[in-house]
């Protein structure tokens, strides 16, 4: 499920019921709605009736796409042409001119409840052969002939609490982030997954609540994922790959009734958080230090990006380095670090790590590709523990800890002591920049002995 609804450039239609063999056809979304409207509506109907129906048809299709209704069930299509499940679509049919003109005007607009994000599952039926909760297609004709506007017709069936919104147009993408989420992953996708698991846990209390919901895949998140996997007969490995991601999507849709006319809404507050927040000139803090660390690392191996100081201040030098990086990777060179630039930085940084590892690069320690959190277990944790113990020999505020390679409570307490001592946010987590910082501090501390 994406964060916000959008109009896909194309939609894939299964030419039959979902569980029966049939061909799939991929057509432009605009042409799909023209086809559906021409297959279900009469061109002689009053224009206001046609408009009301087309709004409902667009919203219905976008609900299927937004909820990944079929993709989350393992199908390779977005919607069917079976009217028992979806909307009529007749491959190759003629399109009525007046219907095409209306669709051309309305195809990027959809219905939604005020305060909620998802497109309304705008249920409807013909109103003669079949009766249903929702819009009656033949009933819209009577209402239009009485002089009602398209909006008045829609609120007659769906209630007064109804918005008509405009969505952006972009290529259809699946919501799975492409790589598994696991302990230490920090991303917007982790935050989305945490939100969904917390909502699912209302119906399945064996799934522990995740607090805080912050996009950091920590031990609490791991435990919630494992509990979810056990309940739904998935391999309980605590890793969110495609099967677990789409099962979470499927169950979240079900408990919220997102594909029902009366759905529990997804609020703007649930999807409006960004991780990280867009970083711009003038900002200061740990996120800027991490940005500068990535840029400095990339600049060390790429002459196109200048090496900059890591001072936590987004000044002109940092902006120029961001612009240089954006130009190198083909992004808009605006000097603003939004999600696309941030992800490109992470990818470039990861490639450097992999190339160093493949070349057996002789570093005291290799920067880590992810965040270390409670429950992490790796050689990087072992190196972190060794460095913390090197610091503990100089700073009695930092406790000495066992060097096991497992990030347990003792390691977390030592990290917290380090962060408090050096004036850093006391999160107990170690991102790549903090890892590097501890390494440098440990080397400096030994020189003081």
């Amino acid at each position: 499920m994406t964060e916000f609804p959008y109009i896909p450039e194309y939609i894939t239609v299964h030419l039959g019921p979902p569980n029966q063999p049939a061909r799939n056809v991929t057509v432009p979304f605009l042409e799909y709605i023209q086809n559906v409207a021409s297959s279900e509506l009469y061109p002689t109907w009053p224009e206001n009736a046609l408009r009301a129906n087309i709004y409902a048809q667009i919203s219905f299709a976008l609900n299927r796409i937004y909820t990944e209704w079929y993709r989350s069930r393992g199908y390779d299509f977005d919607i069917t042409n079976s009217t028992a499940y979806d909307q009529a679509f007749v491959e190759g049919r003629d399109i009525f001119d007046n219907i095409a003109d209306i669709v051309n005007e309305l195809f990027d607009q959809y219905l939604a409840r005020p305060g909620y994000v998802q497109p309304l599952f705008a249920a409807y039926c013909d109103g003669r052969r079949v009766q249903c909760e929702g819009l009656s297609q033949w009933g819209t004709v009577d209402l239009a002939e009485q002089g009602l506007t398209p909006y008045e017709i829609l609120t007659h069936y769906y209630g007064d609490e109804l918005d008509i919104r405009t969505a952006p147009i972009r290529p259809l993408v699946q919501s799975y982030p492409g790589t598994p989420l696991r302990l230490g992953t920090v991303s917007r996708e982790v935050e989305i997954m945490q939100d969904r698991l917390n909502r699912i846990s209302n119906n399945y209390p064996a799934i522990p609540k995740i607090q805080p919901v912050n996009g950091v895949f920590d031990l609490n998140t791991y435990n919630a994922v494992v509990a979810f996997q056990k309940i739904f007969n998935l391999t309980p490995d605590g890793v969110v790959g495609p099967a677990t991601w789409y099962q979470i999507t499927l169950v979240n849709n079900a408990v919220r009734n997102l594909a029902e006319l009366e759905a529990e809404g997804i609020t703007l507050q649930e999807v409006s958080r960004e991780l990280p927040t867009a970083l711009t000139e003038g900002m200061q803090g740990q996120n800027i230090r991490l940005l500068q660390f990535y840029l400095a690392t990339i600049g060390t191996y790429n002459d196109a990006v200048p090496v900059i100081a890591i001072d936590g201040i987004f000044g002109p030098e940092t902006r120029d380095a961001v612009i240089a990086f954006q130009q190198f990777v083909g992004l808009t060179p605006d000097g603003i670090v939004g999600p696309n630039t941030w992800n490109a930085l992470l990818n470039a940084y990861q490639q450097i790590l992999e190339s160093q590892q493949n070349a057996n690069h002789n570093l005291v320690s290799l920067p880590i590709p992810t965040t270390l959190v409670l429950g992490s277990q790796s050689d990087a944790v072992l190196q972190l523990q060794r460095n913390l113990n090197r610091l503990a020999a100089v700073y009695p505020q930092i406790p000495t800890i066992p060097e096991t390679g497992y990030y347990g409570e003792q390691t977390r307490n030592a990290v917290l002591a380090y962060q408090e001592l050096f004036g850093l946010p006391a999160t107990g987590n170690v991102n790549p920049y903090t890892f590097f910082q501890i390494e440098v501090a440990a080397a400096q501390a030994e020189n003081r002995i």
Side-chain angles (χ1 to χ4, degrees):
M1 187 192 307
T2 56
E3 294 181 66
F4 293 98
Y6 65 95
I7 305 298
E9 293 177 357
Y10 294 88
I11 184 171
T12 299
V13 186
H14 184 68
L15 301 180
N19 55 356
Q20 293 185 12
R23 286 192 305 114
N24 293 343
V25 294
T26 300
V27 297
F29 185 80
L30 173 66
E31 294 180 14
Y32 167 77
I33 297 297
Q34 290 176 339
N35 188 303
V36 168
S38 295
S39 298
E40 295 190 341
L41 310 176
Y42 289 87
T44 55
W45 282 1
E47 182 174 329
N48 285 354
L50 294 174
R51 286 175 175 270
N53 278 277
I54 289 168
Y55 276 126
Q57 291 164 343
I58 295 169
S59 190
F60 185 104
L62 290 186
N63 182 277
R64 286 294 196 232
I65 290 168
Y66 179 81
T67 61
E68 295 181 294
W69 182 254
Y70 290 110
R71 300 281 183 182
S72 67
R73 289 163 166 75
Y75 294 111
D76 59 351
F77 51 82
D78 305 303
I79 201 165
T80 76
N81 75 342
S82 170
T83 54
Y85 299 91
D86 297 304
Q87 308 181 124
F89 173 89
V90 180
E91 185 182 16
R93 70 151 299 134
D94 291 333
I95 306 300
F96 299 119
D97 289 340
N98 64 324
I99 286 179
D101 290 340
I102 296 173
V103 173
N104 289 342
E105 178 186 344
L106 303 182
F107 80 100
D108 62 348
Q109 299 175 51
Y110 66 98
L111 308 176
R113 298 295 187 199
Y116 296 127
V117 172
Q118 79 273 8
L120 179 72
F121 185 75
Y124 64 86
C125 53
D126 71 359
R128 287 190 173 177
R129 293 171 302 169
V130 179
Q131 302 294 324
C132 65
E133 292 185 8
L135 180 143
S136 163
Q137 291 178 319
W138 277 100
T140 64
V141 176
D142 295 334
L143 295 176
E145 289 175 345
Q146 295 172 28
L148 272 65
T149 66
Y151 183 77
E152 290 171 334
I153 294 172
L154 290 167
T155 56
H156 174 83
Y157 291 108
Y158 298 127
D160 293 336
E161 297 293 312
L162 190 67
D163 288 343
I164 297 178
R165 300 179 188 164
T166 300
I169 302 168
R170 66 176 176 84
L172 179 66
V173 295
Q174 296 187 38
S175 65
Y176 176 63
T179 55
L181 309 178
R182 61 183 74 241
L183 270 172
T185 302
V186 181
S187 69
R188 172 61 183 150
E189 288 77 14
V190 172
E191 189 176 18
I192 292 170
M193 182 259 295
Q194 290 171 326
D195 265 329
R196 293 177 184 173
L197 284 174
N198 276 349
R199 173 58 188 86
I200 292 168
S201 71
N202 293 344
N203 294 68
Y204 296 89
I207 300 173
K209 291 289 186 183
I210 302 169
Q211 298 294 341
V213 173
N214 57 4
V216 179
F217 200 128
D218 54 15
L219 192 59
N220 290 335
T221 305
Y222 173 89
N223 290 336
V225 169
V226 169
F228 176 88
Q229 290 171 325
K230 288 179 179 177
I231 291 171
F232 292 97
N233 297 317
L234 299 166
T235 301
D237 56 6
V239 176
V240 180
T244 299
W245 176 271
Y246 283 113
Q247 186 67 33
I248 291 173
T249 301
L250 177 65
V251 178
N252 182 64
N253 289 342
V255 297
R256 290 177 180 266
N257 294 321
L258 292 184
E260 301 290 341
L261 183 56
E262 297 301 327
E264 174 187 324
I266 297 176
T267 65
L268 180 63
Q269 289 76 15
E270 290 179 85
V271 298
S272 63
R273 296 186 299 273
E274 296 293 335
L275 188 76
T277 302
L279 306 179
T280 59
E281 189 171 6
M283 297 177 69
Q284 300 184 27
Q286 281 300 104
N287 279 342
I288 304 304
R289 289 181 182 273
L290 185 55
L291 165 66
Q292 292 168 330
F293 173 72
Y294 286 139
L295 287 168
T297 303
I298 294 166
T300 301
Y301 298 91
N302 186 336
D303 292 338
V305 180
V307 177
I308 58 174
I310 302 173
D311 59 8
I313 301 172
F314 197 133
E317 289 186 354
T318 301
R319 180 203 60 213
D320 292 345
V322 170
I323 290 174
F325 176 77
Q326 290 171 325
Q327 289 173 329
F328 180 77
V329 298
L331 295 171
T332 302
D334 56 10
I336 298 172
V337 182
N340 291 337
T341 299
W342 185 260
N343 289 334
L345 282 165
L346 294 181
N347 290 335
Y349 177 76
Q350 180 67 43
Q351 289 173 9
I352 289 171
L353 297 190
E354 292 174 355
S355 66
Q356 288 179 339
Q357 289 168 335
N358 292 337
N360 294 319
H361 200 280
N362 292 321
L363 293 177
V364 175
S365 65
L366 200 62
I368 57 174
T370 187
T371 296
L372 303 179
V373 297
L374 194 66
S376 296
Q377 187 167 1
S378 65
D379 290 340
V381 174
L382 181 60
Q383 184 63 39
L384 169 68
Q385 291 166 333
R386 289 171 178 168
N387 287 329
L388 287 169
N389 283 338
R390 292 160 71 191
L391 285 170
V394 177
Y395 299 100
Q397 300 95 323
I398 300 175
T400 302
I401 55 176
E403 297 177 3
T404 63
Y406 176 74
Y407 199 119
E409 288 290 350
Q410 289 178 290
T411 302
R412 184 174 184 273
N413 290 337
V415 169
L416 285 168
Y418 164 82
Q419 291 171 328
E420 291 171 357
L421 182 63
F422 285 81
L424 302 174
T427 63
N429 301 327
V430 178
N431 64 30
Y433 173 67
T434 304
F435 184 89
F436 171 75
Q437 221 176 10
I438 292 174
E439 172 82 17
V440 172
Q444 292 172 341
E446 286 188 336
N447 290 335
R448 290 173 50 189
I449 298 176

